[in-house]
Amino acid sequence: MQQKTSVTIRDVAQAAGCSVATASRVLNKSGPASAEVRERVERAARDLDFSFSSIGRALQSRRSMTIGCLVPSLANPVFAEAVQGVQSELKDSGYQLLISCSNYDETADNAAIETLMSKDADGLIATMVAPDRSAALRQAQQRGTPVSLMFHDPIEGFTTAYVDNFEAAREVARQFVRLGHRRIGFLALRFSTSDRSRNRYAGFCAECRARGLPDPVLIEIGEAEASRPDSLAAILNDHPTLTAIFASNDFLAIAVHKAARLLGRRVPQDLSVAGFDGIEIGRLLEAPLATIETSPEAMGRQAARSLLEAMQGQVPIQPPALPFHFRAGATLAAPNPE
């Protein structure tokens, strides 16, 4: 009897030759697995006399069965889709998601983490201003709470679900240069507080330098300019020689499109524009937006998988970057001849 109760899900996974997360999904019937893997797991569970109810006891011991999820905003469809991916991956796992938004504020980030921890969240999934210097996030780790990040490039001490922002931005630069653009700008919102925006600019610069071009002009704007086409038009008017602009996200790229129209500049004939994220509304514009297309939903799923594996005792392993695709759209063209 003693031997029976000491059998764990880890023993089943080892006998079946799969991960703990896979064994849990099979026995919980909570996720996909091939017929061959499913048969191995179920046979191992039978051979070890592992009770299906043992999963519930293991999960419920010393746990609140909640996971905290912190994102900057749900108004941005990129983060909303990622949260949907998290929820899809957690389906039938028994965990409830506690969602918090910080509005891109570092102080609010830390306060949200502290609140989620006060509610005894068993794990955390987060997109933050600065996770690498977040005292609250480090305290959560010190308490033994598993943490999985989304959207951030790899940071020591954390697993993250991400797209390689540096390489994706290099692809945008290649597309611009291929068409003959040499006077190029990078438009950024929250540049000082977004590692994603900074890494995109770094990759953009690296590819321009590799092709003998000067660093792109960095144009930093605030919330007011981003939300007011006339204000953004005034800023663009200060850079009349630019023939192409890479905006750090699709919303900014769409705003550039509108601001250029106010200046009487046609997109893409007078100004080429590209964005980042691949939000669906970009496809619906009269001139579909050129952009780096990603899958926030897949990002959320990956972050949730990594967290569940950590919560089940697996040693965290950084997954590879998720794929991206350059969508040509109709806002990118060769510059007008001099």
Side-chain angles (χ1 to χ4, degrees), residues 197-220:
S197 184
R198 293 193 300 274
N199 288 340
R200 289 166 195 173
Y201 180 62
F204 199 46
C205 288
E207 188 62 27
C208 286
R209 292 171 191 159
R211 293 173 179 267
L213 272 65
D215 283 357
V217 176
L218 174 61
I219 308 170
E220 297 182 63

Side-chain angles (χ1 to χ4, degrees), residues 26-236:
V26 170
L27 296 177
N28 267 323
K29 297 180 173 58
S30 63
S34 69
E36 186 264 337
V37 169
R38 187 173 296 279
E39 196 277 331
R40 288 205 323 261
V41 171
E42 291 175 348
R43 183 174 64 246
R46 289 194 300 271
D47 292 347
L48 293 171
D49 201 16
F50 181 79
S51 170
F52 287 85
S53 64
S54 298
I55 298 173
R57 290 196 299 271
L59 289 174
Q60 291 171 17
S61 61
R62 66 179 179 80
R63 297 193 177 187
S64 66
M65 300 309 293
T66 61
I67 288 174
C69 184
L70 171 63
V71 292
S73 169
L74 290 176
N76 187 329
V78 171
F79 298 121
E81 288 176 30
V83 171
Q84 187 63 48
V86 171
Q87 290 180 318
S88 297
E89 192 67 25
L90 295 180
K91 183 182 179 183
D92 300 326
S93 70
Y95 285 97
Q96 296 294 316
L97 201 61
L98 303 177
I99 302 172
S100 185
C101 299
S102 66
N103 197 30
Y104 304 92
D105 181 270
E106 186 171 356
T107 301
D109 273 340
N110 283 304
I113 294 296
E114 290 170 358
T115 298
L116 291 169
M117 293 310 301
S118 73
K119 296 182 182 298
D120 295 320
D122 298 321
L124 297 172
I125 296 173
T127 303
M128 306 173 68
V129 169
D132 55 331
R133 63 172 184 251
S134 170
L137 205 58
R138 294 293 179 185
Q139 287 171 2
Q141 280 189 316
Q142 290 167 6
R143 284 179 52 178
T145 302
V147 175
S148 182
L149 302 178
M150 298 188 296
F151 294 97
H152 297 288
D153 288 304
I155 298 171
E156 185 177 357
F158 300 98
T159 58
T160 183
Y162 75 109
V163 164
D164 191 327
N165 291 288
F166 188 93
E167 287 300 321
R170 291 187 68 174
E171 177 59 27
V172 176
R174 283 191 284 269
Q175 296 291 334
F176 280 3
V177 175
R178 177 183 63 83
L179 290 168
H181 292 282
R182 299 189 61 82
R183 299 189 299 274
I184 299 170
F186 181 85
L187 182 68
L189 177 65
R190 308 183 193 94
F191 187 76
S192 63
T193 59
S194 171
D195 58 349
R196 301 171 297 285
S197 184
R198 293 193 300 274
N199 288 340
R200 289 166 195 173
Y201 180 62
F204 199 46
C205 288
E207 188 62 27
C208 286
R209 292 171 191 159
R211 293 173 179 267
L213 272 65
D215 283 357
V217 176
L218 174 61
I219 308 170
E220 297 182 63
I221 63 172
E223 301 284 348
E225 292 87 0
S227 61
R228 292 183 53 190
D230 56 336
S231 296
L232 183 54
I235 292 172
L236 293 182

Side-chain angles (χ1 to χ4, degrees), residues 221-302:
I221 63 172
E223 301 284 348
E225 292 87 0
S227 61
R228 292 183 53 190
D230 56 336
S231 296
L232 183 54
I235 292 172
L236 293 182
N237 201 41
D238 291 335
H239 303 279
T241 63
L242 297 181
T243 63
I245 289 180
F246 175 27
S248 62
N249 65 51
D250 283 349
F251 279 125
L252 281 183
I254 293 169
V256 169
H257 194 302
K258 185 176 293 187
R261 187 178 303 172
L262 291 178
L263 294 173
R265 301 184 71 183
R266 299 165 299 165
V267 175
Q269 294 91 338
D270 303 318
L271 181 67
S272 285
V273 180
F276 198 108
D277 287 325
I279 62 175
E280 190 60 28
I281 194 172
R283 293 180 179 273
L284 304 179
L285 300 176
E286 183 176 347
L289 183 65
T291 185
I292 291 291
E293 197 168 55
T294 67
S295 175
E297 195 269 348
M299 204 171 294
R301 282 183 174 275
Q302 187 179 86

